[in-house]
Amino acid sequence: MQTAPVSRKEEIWLACKPKACCYVTAVIPTGRDVWRIARALQSPPWTFVRYFESPTPRRDAFLLDHSGRQFRLALAKQTSRRKKSAPPCIFLLKTNSGYHRCGLGDLRPRSCQAFPAELAREVVCVNPAGCTCREWSLADIDIAEERALLELRHQENEEYVSAVVAQWNARVAAAPADVHFDFAAYCDFVLRAYDQISAGETRGDR
Ligand code: SF4
Ligand code: SF4
């Protein structure tokens, strides 16, 4: 069986023993990331994502009632006894030899796949905030590959905002003023929305 070639960035990621970025970074997944992981692991989203109140209005923030409070998704963290350092991502595994591994592999959210590359005014650059293990440079990444990945991430974020969050927020706004939806209801809505989008993609609707 032939395996896909591994990029230099992927090699660095796989070889990194401590994976410090998986401790300190708050991973904000899109709905499609959540759906992909939930369906592949056959686990409901609330077992691996949390929600937090957004201090400022965001297009990817969802409502749960008429209070105006907005929330965003984040990958859950493990409970850690280490008080002085950030807790690890819920999917971070530690092998007997002390190496850290992402339990999601290719299923990890696009933001994890792209890290530390990002687009600044359409220019691909590296922003390794959270990485304590090495000095990154543009020579470590394939610019064309990263651009394609970052554009895909952007598209998936736009899809989440317009096809899922906006629809959900309209539903909350149309509900009676005293109704409060819970997080599980939002998670169900996200899963069903992407099931439908995915069925449309399979049929070739777009
Ligand atoms: S999903 Fe994987 S790569 Fe992303 S923060 Fe968690 S352990 Fe790290
Ligand atoms: S970004 Fe830094 S800490 Fe994270 S896996 Fe790569 S080398 Fe390790």
Side-chain angles (χ1 to χ4, degrees):
M1 191 179 74
Q2 273 201 326
T3 50
V6 174
S7 69
R8 172 161 168 72
K9 190 180 90 167
E10 199 104 323
E11 268 176 15
I12 294 169
W13 179 64
L14 289 169
C16 174
K17 189 172 182 182
K19 298 228 174 5
C21 57
C22 301
Y23 282 79
V24 296
T25 311
V27 178
I28 310 292
T30 67
R32 189 176 273 268
D33 288 323
V34 170
W35 170 77
R36 216 160 25 90
I37 297 166
R39 289 302 186 225
L41 302 185
Q42 299 186 359
S43 297
W46 55 87
T47 59
F48 61 89
V49 281
R50 301 287 177 262
Y51 66 110
F52 65 95
E53 187 166 351
S54 176
T56 51
R58 299 272 318 194
R59 294 171 66 235
D60 66 349
F62 56 92
L63 306 168
L64 291 175
D65 56 29
H66 286 221
S67 67
R69 296 170 68 201
Q70 295 192 338
F71 303 92
R72 298 176 75 201
L73 302 171
L75 280 194
K77 297 277 189 175
Q78 296 175 33
T79 46
S80 169
R81 277 189 238 115
R82 298 194 304 176
K83 297 276 180 246
K84 289 190 181 153
S85 54
C89 170
I90 194 162
F91 291 115
L92 192 64
L93 310 173
K94 195 170 181 183
T95 64
N96 289 340
S97 56
Y99 271 86
H100 287 79
R101 287 274 173 264
C102 172
L104 289 177
D106 291 346
L107 272 179
R108 66 196 187 281
R110 298 278 185 229
S111 55
C112 296
Q113 294 177 25
F115 188 83
E118 64 178 38
L119 274 181
R121 297 187 184 183
E122 304 303 314
V123 176
V124 176
C125 56
V126 286
N127 178 12
C131 173
T132 55
C133 306
R134 68 189 308 280
E135 294 286 327
W136 282 91
S137 81
L138 283 177
D140 294 321
I141 62 174
D142 179 321
I143 305 265
E145 209 172 271
E146 295 302 322
R147 179 179 294 284
L149 179 56
L150 289 162
E151 285 174 357
L152 177 63
R153 178 182 155 197
H154 176 72
Q155 279 166 22
E156 292 185 356
N157 196 50
E158 288 301 304
E159 170 191 64
Y160 177 49
V161 166
S162 60
V164 182
V165 176
Q167 309 291 325
W168 168 265
N169 286 347
R171 174 182 290 203
V172 174
D178 59 345
V179 170
H180 179 88
F181 294 86
D182 62 17
F183 182 52
Y186 180 65
C187 291
D188 282 341
F189 183 86
V190 171
L191 291 185
R192 281 202 308 275
Y194 282 99
D195 283 343
Q196 280 183 9
I197 293 170
S198 167
E201 287 167 347
T202 306
R203 287 194 308 269
D205 291 356
R206 60 177 187 157

